[in-house]
Structures are given as C-alpha cells and as structure tokens.
Amino acid sequence: MYRSHTNGALRLANVNEEVTLAGWVQKVRDKGFMIWIDLRDRYGITQLIFDEERTDLSVLEDAKKLGREFVVQIKGTVIERQSKNSNIPTGEIEILVSELTILNASKTPPFTIEDETDGGEELRMKYRYLDIRRNPVKNNLIFRSKVTQAVRNYLSSDGFIEVETPYLIKSTPEGARDFVVPSRMNEGQFYALPQSPQTFKQLLMVGGMDKYFQIVKCFRDEDLRADRQPEFTQIDCEMAFIEQEDILNVFEGMTRHLLKEINGVEVGDFPRMTYDDAMKKYGNDKPDIRFGMEFAEMNEVTQHKDFGVFNNAELVVGIAVPGGNSNTRKEIDNIIKWIKRPQVGALGMIYSRCNDDGSFKSSVDKFYDQEDLAKWAEITGAKQGDLVCVLSGDTNKVRAQMSALRMELAERLGLRDPKVFAPLWVIDFPLLELDEETGNYHAMHHPFTSPKPGQLELLATNPGEVKANAYDLVLNGNEIGGGSIRIHDKQIQATMLKHLGFSDEEAKAQFGFLMDAFEYGAPPHGGLAFGLDRLVSILGGQETIRDFIAFPKNNSGRDVMIDAPSPLDDAQLTELSLKLNLNK
Amino acid sequence: MYRSHTNGALRLANVNEEVTLAGWVQKVRDKGFMIWIDLRDRYGITQLIFDEERTDLSVLEDAKKLGREFVVQIKGTVIERQSKNSNIPTGEIEILVSELTILNASKTPPFTIEDETDGGEELRMKYRYLDIRRNPVKNNLIFRSKVTQAVRNYLSSDGFIEVETPYLIKSTPEGARDFVVPSRMNEGQFYALPQSPQTFKQLLMVGGMDKYFQIVKCFRDEDLRADRQPEFTQIDCEMAFIEQEDILNVFEGMTRHLLKEINGVEVGDFPRMTYDDAMKKYGNDKPDIRFGMEFAEMNEVTQHKDFGVFNNAELVVGIAVPGGNSNTRKEIDNIIKWIKRPQVGALGMIYSRCNDDGSFKSSVDKFYDQEDLAKWAEITGAKQGDLVCVLSGDTNKVRAQMSALRMELAERLGLRDPKVFAPLWVIDFPLLELDEETGNYHAMHHPFTSPKPGQLELLATNPGEVKANAYDLVLNGNEIGGGSIRIHDKQIQATMLKHLGFSDEEAKAQFGFLMDAFEYGAPPHGGLAFGLDRLVSILGGQETIRDFIAFPKNNSGRDVMIDAPSPLDDAQLTELSLKLNLNK
C-alpha cells in the first residue's frame, strides 16, 4: 500500500488520523526551520508540513533535498491548518510528516506544471507525459472519458449493441486517401485502415443487428490542417427499419441527454433547417445559431441604381451588426481589411450606419439615398445604432465571405458564448457536389447515401439538384455529427456508382461484397456518426480538439514525443516485399 | 415508422391490437387456403397468418410469392393462436395480416439461417452478414457487447479513466512483428500499429493519470495459428502507486463481478500459485484447476529398479486418472497412440491399473512389484478403480506431454464443464526465458517488467533464475489476463535492456522517450491486460474466439467477405514512395 488516501481526500474530520500519502512535489516553501510542501496527484493537492520542533531532524533534512516533481511517499498525522486555504477541498488540514521516502527523483521539468504553463505547444507535445499532469489537460481527458461513458450507457440502455468492426480492411473511398498496411502473408497486397466503418455497419444491418454503435478510431491520410488529426474517433451508429425521422429523434435524444448530464443544460426540441435555407441565411451548412445576423438578400433593394459593383453581382447580401454603429471609421476600415485577407478574399465591403436619429450614413451615399438605405435596414432587420454590412459577388463565394464575416463579428461581440448550446439539424443536403476543378460530381456524403424518394431520375438530367436523405447535427457552428438513409437496393446502388464515375469493374472490385449483400434481404437502414473529438471539445467549452486527445500528432502527422513515424530497416522491408522508391 | 413492435414483443395481452411489424421471412408454410409465415428480427419471431376467409385475396397472393429471407413489412391484428407454441415468447399469439409490403427480395441464401446451419466455415465467413442473422452468432455478439459494457461500468465506477492511445505509433518489440503503415507525408518513414498500448499506458502513469483503462484493438503480424487473429482486443489497464497485491485485488474483483453479473456464478477468493508450482503440478503455466489429476514426481519411487527408460530420465511423472481402470486394453492403447502423435510427441506411456481388490497390474510388471506399484498409487493419489499414467524424459518436454495428456483425459471424462468457473492467479513468473534455438534470453513478459526486489543482481550470473513481479490470470485452463509491476527507474530499465541484448543506441532509438520520461518523476506502477476475445468466449462457455468476433479473418489473415488484403495501384504506391519487391 503506497497510500492510505489520495491527495484530494482529507478533511477536518480526519484530524489526528495517521495517514500515508504519495504523489508529486508541486511546490516547496522552505523557511529553514519550517518547510511546506504541496503534494499533488490526480485527485488534488495536500499540504505537508515539516518543522524543527515536531519533525525528526533527518526527515527535515531529506525534505530540503526535494525538488519540483519528485515522487515521494510520506507518513504523518492530519492536523488542522493555522491559515486555511478555501480554494482547495483539502485546504483546512495539513499533514505533519513523520516519515519521508523518495520514490523517484525528477530533473527540473522543461516547463512549469501549472494551470497556466510557460511551455510552448511544441515543448508540451514533446513532453506530453508532463503536460498531462497539468489540470487543464488532465481534466479534459477525464471529461472525455465521462462523455464516452455517458454515450455508451445511453445507447446501451436504448438497445444499441456495440460491435467491433475490423481495422485491417479494404480501401473505402470516402473522399480522402486511405492509410494502407502491407500484408507480409499475402505478398504484394495491402490492407487499408478504415476511414470509417461505413460498409461494415451496413453489413451489420443486413445481418439483422438492427441497432449498432461503436466508439471507434478512424484514419484519413489527408494533408493536415490545423486541428485535424490523421487518426480520430467516431461515435458510429446505424439502425435498420427506420426512416430519417426515427434517426433524428434517437440522436437528438442522445445529444439532449449529454447536454443535461454533462453540462447541466436543458435544451428543447432541436430546430431543423434545410441545407438550402442554411446556405441562404448563414452562407454555411453548419450555422452557429447562438446569435442572429441572418443574411438578407439585397439584389432587389440595391440593383436599381447606378452602382456597377452591385449591379454586376450575382448576389448582394447584407447583415445587420447589432450596435455596430458604435464602430469608428478606423474600426470599420479594420473590418474591411479583415475580409480582404486572402483567407476570406472579399474585394471590399459596403456599409450603412443606422444613426440614433433614424438617419443613415453609408459608404455609397453617392448612389443610394435615405429611402434606399431605409430599405437596407428594413430588409436586414437593422435597428438604430446598428451597422449594415453588405457584400456582393458570385453567390457561393459571397456567401462564404459573409459567413466568415458574421462569425468574426460575433466573436468580437462576444456572442459565441461557450456556455450556451444551440443545436440544429441541417437536412436535405444535396446528394452530389460539383468539383469545380474537374467538373465532375462526387458524393457529398458518401456513395451509399440514398436520394430523396422520386429524385433518382434527376440524376441523369440535373444531378446538382438531387437532394439526399442526409442530415448533419450542428452545435454552435460546428458539425458534430452527420449521416444519411442508405441505399439498400442493389440496382439503385449500381446506378449511383455509375453516376459517380465508377466503371462496373471498379464498382464490383470495391463494393461487390456490399452489393452482393443487398441481394440477400437488405432492410431499409440509415445512421449517423458523431466526431467524438469535436463533440467533446465543444461540450467542454473549447474550440480546439488537441487538448482532448491524450497523445495528438502535429500538423505533419508526427508524434514528436515518441518520434514516429520512423524508418524501417531493410530486412523488415524485404519481409514485406517492399522497396523504398524515394526519388520519384 | 416501419414497425410498431419488434418480433419479440407481442403477448396475449396485445390481442386485438393493430400492429405494424417488419423483418425477415424465416419460414413459409403454404397450405393453399392458408399461409403461415415466421417473421424474424433481432428480437425474436412472430407468426403471421394469411387465410382465404379473413385475408384480402391480393394480400394472400402476394404472400405466396415470398421466399426465405425476404424483407417485409406487414400490418395486421394480434389474435390468439389456436395451437400455442411454448418454445417462443410470442407463441401464444399470431398476426392476422391485412397489408403486406415487400421491402426487399432475397436470393436463396447459400446456407440455412437456422441455429444449426448447413453452411461450412468458409461459406459462413464469405457471407458473414447472413451468418450474423443466426441466433448463435447474433447472441455471441450481443453477449460480447454486454461483457464490455459491464467491464466499463465496473472500472469507471472504481475511478478508472478510459483514455484512447494512438494507433499510428512506433515499433514496440513485444515478441511479435509489427504491422506497419507507410507515411506519405514523411517520405520513407513508417508508423507501426500497436501490439499493445504498453508504452503509452506507462507514460499515462508518469503523467499522473493513476488509474487507466482502455478496451482497444491490438495488432500482431504473426504466422497465424488456429484461433489467433492478426487484430484482437485487449482490456488494457494500468495503475500507479500500487504493489502487485493491489492489482491482483482490483482485477480479481472485476473478474468476480463479471462472473456474477454475466454468468450468475459466485466465486470465492481466487487461489494463487507460483509459476514453479504450476509447472510442477500441472506442467503448464495456465492450469485448468476445475479438476484434479495433479502431477506426482515419481523419480524416487521408480528409479531404484532395472527399468532403463525411467532410470535415464530427468523426470518421471505420473497422474491418477479417476475411474481409469475401466478402460479396456484397447482404449489404453488408443491413449498411448494419442500421446505419440507428433503434436504431443511422447515416446510411450507406462501405466498401472489400480484394481478394485487392491492389487495392481502395470505395463512394467517385469520391473516393478506390487509394493512398488502401491507407492505409485500413493504418490499420485490413485484409488481403487483408477489408472496411473506415467511419462518420463527431459523435464520440460515430459511436463508438456503430461499436461496435454491430462487435458485430453479430462475432456474425455467430461471434467471440463463450461458452466464451472475456476479462476487462478499464477504469480512469480521468471523474468527471462531462454530461446533454445539462439541460446539468448528474452523477456518472458516484456522488457518493462520489474524483477523481484533484490534479484537484479542475479541477472548477470544466473538470468534464468530471476523472478519477475509478473502474474497471469487463468480461467479454466486459459490465460485470460496477464501483467506485471513495471520498472520505473531509468537505470534499472537500461540494465534490463542491456541484458536483453539491446545496444545503448538501439535502446535509445526505441525507448529513449520512455527512459527520458522516467527521469521526470515516474511513480511506481503496474498493470494488466485481459484478452477480451478469449475472456468473452470463456464466459460464453465456448472455446473458440471466432464466433465472438463480428468479422474475423481466416488463417491466412484474409477477410474472405470483403476480399482483403488486395493489391494497390501503382499511383498509390508511388505516392507512398514505395515499390513492390516481389522476387526476393
């Protein structure tokens, strides 16, 4: 027994007890004749006291040798503190130490093990095992464990069965590259790591499993962007004999349960919005609806004058920024500078101030009179004291720009409160998406998504218009989950793959097993997958996923702590029937 | 809504209700004027009835078209059955069908979807999605889900935190080959898939996480034996500030909880046995103690006569087979034939019949008199009516042979009752194991296992004698878990790696990150990992793991359903900076 109690356990009621504690030295205060040490473990901090009068001299001497992060075991008596610390649960007591054992020494850590550390991102990742000792990271990992356990209990008690699907599988084209694994036993052949268990969960439905879930690692070999990991975790779910409505209800229930159990927040029915509406009103398929600033389409109220910029635009769109008239000219110029950054790419912004006296002052007063500007205010819903911001251009581009502006302004206005939760279903996604570079359509969700009833015919004539039985769950401007009703008919699946550019041979080679399965009594089915990393970080009130992952990789896909990936030796390559081909 | 009820739900109390059901056609009995159909889903079977008098003719006609495994939806009225079936929970009612919709047709399945199927192993694997519809497989998967959920709830409520460790890691030499994953972004470099999360869980302990668990996939690229999978699942656990005793207690508690919750079996304190005793008494480090037949070492009572076979043997060892004297001469010859099979490899077997009159009759009466044979009976614990079986030879070999014989005879005697659970801790494993081919020692558990206190010195002089703080949990003759107290001191770890043949450079390259971590205040720690596939199959009363895995691979590591692994195209290889090297 290394300890009788953890460092978060002792209270006034324990005074006079003999205890054994173990942990890390958080802090040493050495007054010469008296030493206090904060002893830390996962559970908290307990103050130790050594003094000349009451502590054996040799123990006191040993205590003087302790440095930060030394691991020690102590025996002692719980006593009441003279000056209590109400900030920690053990703050009313301290331990008068009688025995001290150093279990392990520590070099000086490369950064401070404090809530606010002096360590930079790279150092923290290299010494992640020290970073995890810090409360913010430790608490995030414990929080993640709590969320996953809540998910499992909810789904299990709703009759879902967790089934493990294999990791060594076959290529599944879901829009990204597969990581592959050479097979030594099957020369020249490769497994792929799953981008998701999509085909397997559909096969489980064909297999009658009915309600499936799995919390599972998935892998995508993509060029990494900030906050994206090559391996990530999904809450993967599938149901049979259901319609879209059933799925939305089940997972709305689960999400509502999590918000209540984890965050203590009660949320009513989740609003639903079509993809088309979301794009129109927010320029975005994952709108943050914690705040307003909905888009107003302003072509009618702007294209009747001589202002060529608007007249030539496919779309003129505006938002009303609440209280935005308080911005100085310089501040507005800064906003304009912000939207002109290459990441946003707008060419400029027109604005109209809504003065407190009911008058307007715009950056295009030359073209638009007070009556025009009153219409701008009306159509965007701007009140006195607000600022109307207007962008124009090609519809898709200008919506994306306005969406970025809306989010940026909301951020600046403090409207994105992490304690407020605004879930939203976005439904009726398009089935296909045009790749502007190649001119080809590809599946927006994945090739197994079912078109809306009766729309299959449109595939040949107007593929971009076909809507899918596909839906996303959005929380605070983040897509936390997405799914669809699947195709369960072999012919429809074949037609779909043809439209996506698969030859019959390719379709058979990649998905023959699934289409074969559809011939043996496949039930109607559909599902949804949550991005766990993202879900946990949003529930935890944070925007970045990295600190909710114990051992994340950096933007080059490297684990800088263990220094992976790394070269293989030649013997191992030969055994795998491979050679490097570096000068490609 | 595809259904108002599942096919396991309806009872007499539901009579006269209008219901909607969906499922698979299990069986059609067509009497012409009347048709019965068994409709099946995950939850059970409900009988449908169509008849000329009460069913619309067109519905009756449609029903005649249904074949096995068609997926249908019906509406109808719950009525009381004329002839009740007490074998199924819905056996008192049937549904008088008013509407029938065929949701999907089915080709005739390649094997029957019945508890006892006519499908062979290979066919079942190729059409695993049909195999999963069968109760035995379906129930095994549901059982597995129940076991994992019970494990998670137990550990979570005991303060363990489930932490996900990465899958794209670095080579960890745990006695098997790694599967590797080429990195496209880091040219010429490879990740390895984890053989276990060993180093990461140790780093979590250094990180203060204290009580960790994870149910996690692990990967070993081994030449497959029957019932071994390239990917398998572990319940992986680690604790800090603990001694061996603490770990044994925690996981004994968990296992006892599972036996009670899952199997309804109450088990007392688990017995403990040293590795040396297990080898001596059972010839095996995972003895099945559901039955006796313990080994008796018989050198003293056999090596005083002129029987050279025994006199020249390092070990003479016997067991008493209860009631074994009832075997005919021919049956005993069969046993002897069995142990001479190359898989067992004994050269022969000596036996002594313990007659009911107290006399003995042995196969070596030429050498041993009644007094000798009485001693054999005494030392093996044989009673009248038993059979003493004796093997001799080199200690290790003869123990393995006798162990095989003991298990085989127990099987034949029906002593291996899958409903009886006999757990056992085997402790004090040797730290190192001699590789008889190379003459080198390697770690029996893994290189991070701590030697027993005070035995480190023996490493240089007598490495085979060093005992480790290592333990296995054995259940009914299967190792279901194993673990150890780890080294947490950099110097000891360095010494250990040196003894295992790692150069300083190799040690640094492979484990530098772990040894560095040990310099920053590593706490004493240790843990254990359960093999989930095995654990679940034993709790489920079965010996093979394959039917507790949704999509297992065959003995060549292939998934015959999806046909993986498979070749990559050249572009993908080039992108990964690889070339095939097939003519090695």
Side-chain angles (χ1 to χ4, degrees), chain A residues 341-397:
Chain A
R341 299 185 322 154
Q343 300 94 314
V344 186
L347 293 173
M349 183 184 91
I350 303 301
Y351 63 89
S352 169
R353 293 175 174 279
C354 306
N355 295 322
D356 289 345
D357 62 4
S359 69
F360 303 96
K361 174 85 191 82
S362 85
S363 55
V364 282
D365 282 350
K366 244 197 292 188
F367 301 100
Y368 299 98
D369 57 24
Q370 290 289 310
E371 196 184 334
D372 291 324
L373 298 177
K375 281 189 187 151
W376 292 17
E378 191 191 342
I379 202 168
T380 58
K383 297 185 301 293
Q384 292 171 11
D386 290 355
L387 181 73
V388 176
C389 297
V390 187
L391 301 178
S392 63
D394 291 345
T395 301
N396 290 347
K397 273 192 193 156

Side-chain angles (χ1 to χ4, degrees), chain A residues 293-314:
Chain A
M293 294 201 269
E294 286 181 23
F295 293 8
E297 303 204 336
M298 298 174 62
N299 294 33
E300 282 195 20
V301 297
T302 57
Q303 293 181 334
H304 59 299
K305 291 291 172 70
D306 281 340
F307 188 47
V309 172
F310 283 173
N311 293 349
N312 298 326
E314 190 182 3

Side-chain angles (χ1 to χ4, degrees), chain B residues 251-476:
Chain B
F251 294 100
E252 182 166 326
M254 185 187 99
T255 308
R256 194 180 291 118
H257 171 79
L258 289 180
L259 286 168
K260 179 149 186 226
E261 177 151 327
I262 303 290
N263 297 87
V265 172
E266 300 257 11
V267 179
D269 286 349
F270 294 6
R272 297 180 187 185
M273 189 182 293
T274 64
Y275 171 88
D276 286 348
D277 277 352
M279 296 308 289
K280 212 175 156 83
K281 286 190 194 163
Y282 300 97
N284 197 313
D285 62 3
K286 43 180 199 278
D288 190 339
I289 59 167
R290 279 176 294 184
F291 55 94
M293 295 200 270
E294 286 182 21
F295 292 9
E297 303 206 335
M298 298 173 64
N299 294 36
E300 279 195 21
V301 297
T302 57
Q303 293 183 334
H304 58 298
K305 290 290 172 68
D306 281 343
F307 187 48
V309 172
F310 283 175
N311 292 349
N312 296 326
E314 191 183 2
L315 177 67
V316 182
V317 65
I319 57 172
V321 184
N325 193 28
S326 64
N327 282 291
T328 63
R329 174 64 197 262
K330 200 175 154 197
E331 284 168 336
I332 293 179
D333 283 347
N334 269 333
I335 294 171
I336 293 174
K337 206 178 282 171
W338 188 89
I339 63 162
K340 284 174 151 178
R341 300 185 321 154
Q343 299 94 313
V344 185
L347 294 174
M349 183 184 89
I350 303 303
Y351 63 89
S352 170
R353 291 176 174 282
C354 305
N355 295 323
D356 289 344
D357 62 4
S359 70
F360 302 96
K361 174 85 191 84
S362 86
S363 56
V364 284
D365 281 350
K366 245 200 290 188
F367 301 100
Y368 298 98
D369 57 25
Q370 291 289 311
E371 195 183 335
D372 292 324
L373 298 177
K375 281 189 187 150
W376 291 18
E378 191 191 341
I379 202 168
T380 59
K383 295 184 301 292
Q384 291 170 13
D386 291 355
L387 180 74
V388 176
C389 296
V390 187
L391 301 178
S392 63
D394 290 346
T395 302
N396 291 346
K397 275 191 193 156
V398 77
R399 281 178 172 169
Q401 291 157 1
M402 187 57 104
S403 170
L405 177 62
R406 175 176 175 271
M407 294 297 273
E408 174 66 16
L409 293 173
E411 193 68 49
R412 293 184 188 189
L413 290 166
L415 299 175
R416 305 195 66 201
D417 181 350
K419 295 254 156 46
V420 172
F421 293 95
L424 170 73
W425 286 109
V426 177
I427 57 175
D428 296 353
F429 271 78
L431 184 68
L432 303 173
E433 199 171 31
L434 187 66
D435 183 329
E436 305 221 335
E437 277 177 36
T438 64
N440 293 332
Y441 282 96
H442 59 82
M444 192 153 187
H445 198 63
H446 53 52
F448 316 113
T449 298
S450 159
K452 290 252 169 213
Q455 302 212 336
L456 196 63
E457 295 64 35
L458 278 175
L459 266 182
T461 54
N462 204 347
E465 286 302 303
V466 180
K467 295 290 191 248
N469 278 319
Y471 34 81
D472 276 358
L473 182 53
V474 173
L475 185 58
N476 295 1

Side-chain angles (χ1 to χ4, degrees), chain B residues 41-335:
Chain B
D41 64 11
R42 188 185 118 191
Y43 309 92
I45 280 183
T46 299
Q47 180 166 293
L48 313 179
I49 181 166
F50 306 73
D51 74 32
E52 277 183 348
E53 282 177 29
R54 295 176 290 177
T55 306
D56 209 69
L57 199 65
S58 70
V59 175
L60 192 70
E61 286 307 313
D62 283 348
K64 283 179 190 289
K65 295 175 201 150
L66 297 178
R68 282 197 287 134
E69 301 307 316
F70 273 51
V71 186
V72 301
Q73 182 190 41
I74 62 100
K75 288 184 201 297
T77 312
V78 183
I79 58 176
E80 186 170 357
R81 271 209 220 180
Q82 302 263 314
S83 62
K84 301 197 170 44
N85 176 354
S86 61
N87 295 324
I88 57 172
T90 63
E92 296 191 299
I93 57 94
E94 60 193 351
I95 313 296
L96 180 64
V97 176
S98 55
E99 283 180 42
L100 168 65
T101 310
I102 298 179
L103 298 174
N104 216 339
S106 176
K107 297 208 292 197
T108 304
F111 50 84
T112 55
I113 312 297
E114 305 272 359
D115 290 6
E116 296 291 333
T117 182
D118 56 357
E121 178 82 1
E122 203 171 317
L123 211 53
R124 288 175 47 214
M125 289 303 141
K126 182 164 164 55
Y127 297 92
R128 185 64 161 177
Y129 45 87
L130 298 179
D131 202 28
I132 289 173
R133 289 186 194 161
R134 297 171 53 241
N135 284 320
V137 182
K138 178 194 77 179
N139 290 339
N140 284 352
L141 296 180
I142 293 175
F143 183 79
R144 182 185 179 112
S145 176
K146 193 175 152 195
V147 172
T148 58
Q149 191 61 9
V151 167
R152 283 197 164 94
N153 284 335
Y154 185 87
L155 292 175
S156 295
S157 63
D158 196 26
F160 282 82
I161 303 299
E162 185 160 26
V163 180
E164 294 176 57
T165 53
Y167 279 77
L168 298 173
I169 65 164
K170 193 169 176 163
S171 187
T172 53
E174 302 206 26
R177 285 185 202 83
D178 290 313
F179 281 105
V180 299
V181 181
S183 166
R184 182 180 53 86
M185 300 229 290
N186 300 273
E187 212 191 9
Q189 299 189 24
F190 294 74
Y191 303 99
L193 296 177
Q195 293 186 38
S196 89
Q198 182 63 34
T199 48
F200 286 96
K201 68 176 172 174
Q202 292 193 240
L203 291 172
L204 284 171
M205 295 306 106
V206 177
M209 199 44 79
D210 210 315
K211 291 172 112 177
Y212 144 92
F213 84 103
Q214 186 182 194
I215 299 186
V216 62
K217 273 282 175 76
C218 303
F219 304 85
R220 291 188 188 190
D221 182 13
E222 293 178 298
D223 297 324
L224 299 175
R225 300 199 298 250
D227 218 32
R228 193 181 259 189
Q229 293 280 320
E231 50 177 303
F232 56 96
T233 307
Q234 256 180 218
I235 308 169
D236 194 51
C237 307
E238 196 81 0
M239 302 169 75
F241 299 114
I242 44 74
E243 289 157 353
Q244 174 171 312
E245 189 64 25
D246 303 307
I247 296 192
L248 300 194
N249 287 335
V250 166
F251 294 100
E252 182 166 326
M254 185 187 99
T255 308
R256 194 180 291 118
H257 171 79
L258 289 180
L259 286 168
K260 179 149 186 226
E261 177 151 327
I262 303 290
N263 297 87
V265 172
E266 300 257 11
V267 179
D269 286 349
F270 294 6
R272 297 180 187 185
M273 189 182 293
T274 64
Y275 171 88
D276 286 348
D277 277 352
M279 296 308 289
K280 212 175 156 83
K281 286 190 194 163
Y282 300 97
N284 197 313
D285 62 3
K286 43 180 199 278
D288 190 339
I289 59 167
R290 279 176 294 184
F291 55 94
M293 295 200 270
E294 286 182 21
F295 292 9
E297 303 206 335
M298 298 173 64
N299 294 36
E300 279 195 21
V301 297
T302 57
Q303 293 183 334
H304 58 298
K305 290 290 172 68
D306 281 343
F307 187 48
V309 172
F310 283 175
N311 292 349
N312 296 326
E314 191 183 2
L315 177 67
V316 182
V317 65
I319 57 172
V321 184
N325 193 28
S326 64
N327 282 291
T328 63
R329 174 64 197 262
K330 200 175 154 197
E331 284 168 336
I332 293 179
D333 283 347
N334 269 333
I335 294 171

Side-chain angles (χ1 to χ4, degrees), chain A residues 118-135:
Chain A
D118 56 357
E121 179 82 1
E122 204 172 316
L123 210 54
R124 287 177 47 213
M125 289 303 141
K126 182 164 163 55
Y127 296 92
R128 185 63 161 177
Y129 45 86
L130 298 180
D131 201 28
I132 290 173
R133 288 186 196 163
R134 296 172 52 239
N135 284 320

